[in-house]
Amino acid sequence: MINYDHIMVRFGELSTKGKNKKDFINTLATNITGALKDFKDLTFGTSYDHIYVGLNNTPYQPVIERLQDVSGIYALSLVYRSEKDLNAIKENALALIKEEEGKTFKVKTKRGDKSYPLISDEITRAVAGHILRNTDDLKVDVHNPDILLSIEVRYEAAYIFTKTVLGAGGYPLGVGGKTMHMLSGGIDSPVAAYLMMKRGVSIECIHFASPPYTQMGVIYKLEDLLKTLNHYQPRIRLHIIPFTKIQEAIYDNAPECYCITLMRRMMFRLADALAKRRRCPVISSGESIGQVASQTIQSMHVINAVTNTPVIRPLATTDKVEIIKISKKIGTYDISIRPYEDCCTIFTPKAPKTMPHLDEVEALEKKWDYESLIKEALANVEVKIITSEENKEEFL
Ligand code: ATP
Ligand code: MG
């Protein structure tokens, strides 16, 4: 019996080259070792276009499942690292295919080591012939084989494999910089956060809390959401902004139908200031076009007018059904549906403006000194670090 001994991590076709490619691979390698830190016997190796995880008798299934959540991985193959000698390749390929179920097979060879004495076709034929001679009921089918046996001859070794699964795709977390992500306790914003991370952008989160209208329960909910997102980013900084006074001032000074528009403009002003303070070049949110009054494109235009910072809305065109599907997949759904009040739900007017006008909104805002309230809120931010790592303090 022969055992697969490595997992080959593939990046797919990288559009990046040179230094960016190096950064990509180094970041991915760091993320992979971090994600697999609980598996004590693994070893790691990097080549110019693959990362190898040595299993050293660790069961492969949980390792592969964990790796499938690491962004920047195109595909994962469970491989056997063989001597490059043709006889060794033949014997190992035969032993591996005997473990497989199926009646037909195909051998496919890729030769990365151009100095190897045989070309791909010759290796394929030699191995296929050896398998046919030494098995009873396996036949070749080049179009639709039950078993695809791949051989990759590289400089350091030959890799033989039959199983490849897709990874999460995207880019390694960290290569895309950092966003200030607006996190509510709802379904959408944790999904949007996940999509940002999948694209390689790490997140800091900002949350607007309005005690006593909103309760501590919301904060526990956010902590649970972020603990789930720690699966993709092991340390997440959460900034909790005291929002009550700003919200009350809006309700004291503006007609009810404009309150949501004004409230969201204040949120974006605060997010913008914090993004600058924390050196995040962009802001992101869970907004989705048309979902509620404040998310019509006219509302987005008026709300977004308070900042030049790009606001990325990964869910802008995603239907709710699809958003829910992703939230279930990443494990945030059950936490998001816990019934705690959000500042938006509490102050929701009966008939919010779906077509607010920028000049009217700006005239309303002139009626009171919101800037000093914003300054005060920013001076009283509470920070929490949500992490799955042990050394919390180091990050503070
Ligand atoms: P979600 O499901 O993410 O709560 P939603 O459908 O309830 O979204 P809104 O309440 O209009 O929609 O909020 C739109 C986006 O604004 C949210 O996805 C989030 O990014 C941000 N947001 C809303 N409320 C807050 C809050 N209290 N703190 C931080 N961000 C918020
Ligand atoms: Mg919400």
Side-chain angles (χ1 to χ4, degrees):
M1 166 116 182
I2 179 167
N3 282 327
Y4 290 103
D5 53 5
H6 286 78
I7 292 167
M8 184 194 271
V9 177
R10 300 156 181 279
F11 320 140
E13 290 300 308
L14 281 191
S15 51
T16 50
K17 293 208 170 61
K19 184 182 174 304
N20 287 343
K21 180 167 173 176
K22 239 190 210 148
D23 283 350
F24 180 109
I25 296 172
N26 289 340
T27 308
L28 182 58
T30 309
N31 295 352
I32 285 176
T33 41
L36 298 177
K37 67 178 186 320
D38 293 339
F39 299 90
K40 298 294 176 220
D41 296 324
L42 302 178
T43 47
F44 300 92
T46 304
S47 78
Y48 70 102
D49 59 354
H50 289 105
I51 291 173
Y52 295 100
V53 181
L55 289 166
N56 306 304
N57 298 320
T58 311
Y60 63 81
Q61 197 57 36
V63 179
I64 288 192
E65 276 169 20
R66 189 67 192 89
L67 284 173
Q68 279 185 300
D69 283 334
V70 177
S71 63
I73 295 177
Y74 167 67
L76 297 155
S77 301
L78 186 61
V79 301
Y80 181 78
R81 180 180 280 185
S82 164
E83 302 265 314
K84 285 166 71 175
D85 167 69
L86 184 63
N87 282 328
I89 296 178
K90 278 159 59 175
E91 285 310 322
N92 290 324
L94 176 65
L96 286 169
I97 210 162
K98 279 184 173 168
E99 305 285 325
E100 300 293 324
E101 282 180 21
K103 292 200 167 3
T104 59
F105 76 102
K106 173 185 175 176
V107 177
K108 200 175 113 191
T109 307
K110 223 166 106 182
R111 198 181 55 138
D113 174 4
K114 298 296 177 207
S115 68
Y116 196 71
L118 299 171
I119 61 164
S120 305
D121 262 0
E122 291 169 327
I123 302 169
T124 297
R125 264 185 269 126
V127 173
H130 187 68
I131 291 171
L132 287 170
R133 278 191 298 279
N134 292 284
T135 51
D136 295 328
D137 40 29
L138 272 177
K139 289 195 178 57
V140 171
D141 179 348
V142 292
H143 300 297
N144 194 18
D146 297 335
I147 309 161
L148 176 65
L149 184 114
S150 303
I151 300 169
E152 283 193 25
V153 182
R154 303 183 150 265
Y155 289 98
E156 72 283 5
Y159 294 92
I160 310 172
F161 54 97
T162 57
K163 291 182 185 63
T164 297
V165 292
L166 286 180
Y171 295 102
L173 185 80
V175 298
K178 197 166 67 161
T179 180
M180 183 56 68
H181 186 73
M182 297 167 72
L183 187 74
S184 68
I187 294 170
D188 305 328
S189 46
V191 172
Y194 160 73
L195 293 173
M196 292 301 287
M197 294 189 280
K198 197 172 154 215
R199 216 55 204 161
V201 182
S202 52
I203 60 166
E204 289 200 10
C205 291
I206 180 169
H207 178 76
F208 308 97
S210 302
Y213 306 107
T214 61
Q215 295 136 18
M216 259 319 269
V218 181
I219 306 299
Y220 300 140
K221 191 175 173 183
L222 295 176
E223 287 179 354
D224 286 348
L225 285 170
L226 292 176
K227 274 184 209 152
T228 308
L229 295 178
N230 275 153
H231 195 64
Y232 308 95
Q233 181 179 321
R235 296 161 186 233
I236 304 173
R237 186 182 285 252
L238 169 65
H239 306 265
I240 301 165
I241 308 267
F243 199 57
T244 316
K245 280 192 191 168
I246 294 175
Q247 224 168 350
E248 286 174 343
I250 294 171
Y251 282 82
D252 288 345
N253 289 289
E256 195 185 82
C257 65
Y258 263 116
C259 284
I260 292 279
T261 312
L262 291 179
M263 185 183 81
R264 296 197 60 79
R265 279 167 63 91
M266 297 302 163
M267 286 184 177
F268 275 98
R269 287 188 172 105
L270 287 158
D272 191 33
L274 200 60
K276 290 198 169 81
R277 190 196 282 177
R278 297 291 309 157
R279 300 184 195 287
C280 300
V282 299
I283 299 169
S284 49
S285 81
E287 288 162 293
S288 182
I289 297 169
Q291 217 186 65
V292 288
S294 63
Q295 297 178 29
T296 63
I297 53 173
Q298 176 63 18
S299 284
M300 281 187 190
H301 162 71
V302 172
I303 291 164
N304 214 147
V306 298
T307 171
N308 288 327
T309 306
V311 179
I312 301 181
R313 301 173 171 90
L315 299 173
T317 62
T318 313
D319 290 342
K320 194 77 185 187
V321 195
E322 182 60 27
I323 299 174
I324 289 176
K325 225 159 104 191
I326 305 175
S327 76
K328 286 185 174 162
K329 189 185 92 180
I330 63 173
T332 53
Y333 182 76
D334 287 335
I335 307 169
S336 291
I337 58 171
R338 277 190 221 156
Y340 279 112
E341 301 286 9
D342 183 66
C343 59
C344 300
T345 40
I346 289 165
F347 289 98
T348 304
K350 276 164 229 88
K353 281 265 182 209
T354 53
M355 296 289 273
H357 292 286
L358 190 54
D359 45 1
E360 285 177 40
V361 170
E362 283 172 348
L364 285 172
E365 282 175 350
K366 288 211 176 78
K367 293 200 330 192
W368 87 99
D369 177 19
Y370 64 82
E371 276 170 16
S372 62
L373 288 181
I374 284 192
K375 263 198 202 121
E376 188 186 329
L378 285 169
N380 289 290
V381 183
E382 186 193 340
V383 177
K384 281 179 185 283
I385 307 294
I386 317 296
T387 176
S388 55
E389 294 179 344
E390 292 94 40
N391 293 332
K392 225 170 153 167
E393 289 73 22
E394 191 191 313
F395 188 60
L396 286 162

